[in-house]
Amino acid sequence: MTVTRDDTREDTGGEPSRARLISGPGMLLVWLYGVMVVGAVSRSAVQIAMDFGRAPLAYSLSALAGLVYGFITYSLVRGGEKARRAALVCCAAELAGVLVVGTWTLVEPSAFPDSTVWSYYGGGYLFIPVLLPLSAMYWLRKASARRSEAA
């Protein structure tokens, strides 16, 4: 099996397949991100449809969180080095968002008449929004190190 420049592995049959990112604990990350996609998107969709004027910033941030979770899930499933790097960048952006919004909700609670997925560092979601990007970044960096050793 050889690794080619376009981030694929060629099996002995010559058919390329993307290097997997979701083996082992990576599969748990995909599952957790999938749950977060469903939670954030469905929550924001209902809130935006029912009462957007009440807390437009909070509901928009929840929708953004759902999109970020969706892109990370897609990148993990897609596999390959480019997807790994894209997921790593999105996880860093997600972590920054959680830290900014989490701090903002503590410092200025009146800015958020209703909570977001990232409010209080994801406290309404068992702090998964702050723990998940840290775990994913660790896993993605570890996957990169494993690929470097294999090459």
Side-chain angles (χ1 to χ4, degrees), residues 31-120:
W31 185 84
L32 287 171
Y33 269 113
V35 168
M36 293 304 291
V37 168
V38 172
V41 170
S42 60
R43 173 186 179 154
S44 64
V46 168
Q47 289 173 324
I48 288 170
M50 301 295 282
D51 199 16
F52 184 70
R54 180 168 181 256
L57 178 61
Y59 301 158
S60 297
L61 286 172
S62 288
L64 176 65
L67 293 175
V68 170
Y69 295 145
F71 184 79
I72 293 169
T73 304
Y74 169 77
S75 296
L76 290 171
V77 170
R78 183 173 186 271
E81 182 59 20
K82 290 177 188 174
R84 187 197 66 78
R85 278 187 259 140
L88 193 57
V89 168
C90 282
C91 287
E94 172 196 356
L95 181 60
V98 171
L99 295 175
V100 167
V101 172
T103 302
W104 193 358
T105 55
L106 291 174
V107 172
E108 176 104 24
S110 63
F112 296 92
D114 203 354
S115 63
T116 73
V117 174
W118 294 341
S119 292
Y120 306 104

Side-chain angles (χ1 to χ4, degrees), residues 137-150:
M137 289 189 306
Y138 173 77
W139 174 253
L140 290 166
R141 291 182 59 93
K142 193 174 173 184
S144 177
R146 281 193 311 269
R147 294 182 81 189
S148 296
E149 290 174 6

